[in-house]
Amino acid sequence: MNHCIACFLVLMLPSLDSRELISDLPTEPVLSLEERTDWLIDPSPYRAGVFRGNNADEIILSNGLVRRTFRIAPNLATVAIDNLVTGESVLRSVRPEAQVVIDGIAFDVGGLTGQPNHAFLREQWIDDMESDPAAFQFLRFEIGFPEERFAWKKVRHHSPDVQWPPRGVSLRFDLVPPIKPGIDDNPDESVMISVHYELYDGIPCFSKWLSVHNRTDQKITIDRFTSEIIAAVEHTSRVEDRSVHYPTPDLLVETDYVFSGMDPETVTRYSV
């Protein structure tokens, strides 16, 4: 329960600097080989939590099965995604957390620039990477627990003990429009984009979505958005084109924006 206590501390102290909040987070627990179980049979060792990383600006979202590592300075960015079951590193390049088109203008949401080679990512490069001044900028984060998204009547006889909402942890990042140099150096929260994550106990699964907050007196139009951008390590490296199917990275994406298909590969062809 240590990580749960830390979650409450973060929520109760929103005025503290983000680095101070990170320093109060626990370190990520390390499961020994003997403690590791087949999560499909016994998921109990794998508890989701938010932890501090090796860097003062680093936040880790992990449950012992998957880990996602963020930097919050000089801007918010995912800098690592790791499969802790196989030991694989999924990420080969840093990308924005999302992209949103507002009133016809495209904005990156977070992200870092300056990676010297996008075929692979070295940890020592990250400290030298910079924020794109035209992107939405990190403001704050908040930790909590998954909330019930809709009422669910539990009638499944084979899973009477199922938990709803699922047990786990939530992590929200708030980002604001880019600061205009020489005009106003204070964060402009008139239009704010929140990037929401949930990670659940006992299953290698992240949930992610965006919310846009318009605090102005004028209407804005969200023309288009991309909620997830992952430059993943390729499944295989083929150097010739033989007009055959190229296998995709070992990632499964589920979305409520699915239609016009009868199998996972076709129903998401317009959204993934």
Side-chain angles (χ1 to χ4, degrees):
M1 293 296 290
N2 289 340
H3 64 279
C4 296
I5 295 173
C7 291
F8 282 120
L9 287 173
V10 171
L11 288 171
M12 292 168 61
L13 301 173
S15 61
L16 289 180
D17 178 83
S18 293
R19 288 187 178 90
E20 294 181 63
L21 297 176
I22 292 175
S23 67
D24 288 335
L25 294 174
T27 57
E28 181 184 10
V30 178
L31 294 175
S32 66
L33 183 61
E34 291 74 19
E35 293 173 315
R36 288 192 166 274
T37 61
D38 185 330
W39 64 272
L40 289 169
I41 299 174
D42 178 15
S44 60
Y46 306 109
R47 300 287 302 277
V50 179
F51 310 99
R52 68 175 183 265
N54 296 325
N55 187 286
D57 299 313
E58 201 167 82
I59 299 175
I60 294 174
L61 184 60
S62 174
N63 64 0
L65 296 169
V66 288
R67 177 199 295 131
R68 188 161 184 154
T69 305
F70 305 90
R71 287 285 181 95
I72 63 168
N75 203 356
L76 173 67
T78 295
V79 296
I81 301 176
D82 299 297
N83 183 336
L84 301 180
V85 177
T86 64
E88 295 175 274
S89 295
V90 176
L91 204 67
R92 62 172 175 81
S93 180
V94 177
R95 292 290 189 268
E97 284 296 301
Q99 290 179 334
V100 179
V101 180
I102 302 175
D103 291 333
I105 302 175
F107 294 95
D108 285 344
V109 181
L112 297 173
T113 62
Q115 183 172 332
N117 190 323
H118 292 273
F120 56 94
L121 177 60
R122 288 180 172 174
E123 187 174 354
Q124 57 264 37
W125 292 346
I126 299 172
D127 289 337
D128 296 326
M129 296 173 70
E130 300 176 346
S131 172
D132 179 358
F136 269 65
Q137 303 292 310
F138 170 79
L139 179 64
R140 58 176 168 257
F141 72 92
E142 185 175 280
I143 302 171
F145 300 100
E147 297 181 357
E148 186 178 69
R149 303 187 192 181
F150 53 84
W152 176 40
K153 185 178 180 180
K154 301 176 185 179
V155 295
R156 295 182 180 180
H157 65 277
H158 63 280
S159 54
D161 299 325
V162 68
Q163 179 76 19
W164 183 254
R167 293 185 179 92
V169 67
S170 67
L171 177 59
R172 191 194 78 229
F173 297 103
D174 296 332
L175 298 96
V176 294
I179 294 175
K180 300 176 182 178
I183 298 177
D184 187 1
D185 293 333
N186 296 316
D188 176 14
E189 298 187 45
S190 58
V191 177
M192 186 174 69
I193 297 177
S194 296
V195 182
H196 303 261
Y197 283 95
E198 286 183 350
L199 178 62
Y200 310 108
D201 292 353
I203 183 172
C205 175
F206 294 101
S207 179
K208 181 180 181 181
W209 70 96
L210 306 177
S211 59
V212 180
H213 312 271
N214 179 18
R215 295 169 176 165
T216 71
D217 297 329
Q218 300 177 340
K219 292 182 179 180
I220 63 172
T221 300
I222 309 299
D223 303 295
R224 184 182 179 90
F225 70 90
T226 304
S227 59
E228 181 69 290
I229 307 171
I230 296 177
V233 175
E234 57 189 349
H235 182 277
T236 186
S237 180
R238 295 179 178 175
V239 296
E240 78 281 359
D241 181 7
R242 295 183 178 179
S243 300
V244 295
H245 172 69
Y246 279 76
T248 57
D250 292 325
L251 297 172
L252 174 65
V253 179
E254 298 284 355
T255 171
D256 53 5
Y257 195 76
V258 295
F259 47 81
S260 301
M262 297 295 291
D263 59 76
E265 290 187 354
T266 57
V267 297
T268 58
R269 66 186 184 276
Y270 297 109
S271 58
V272 176

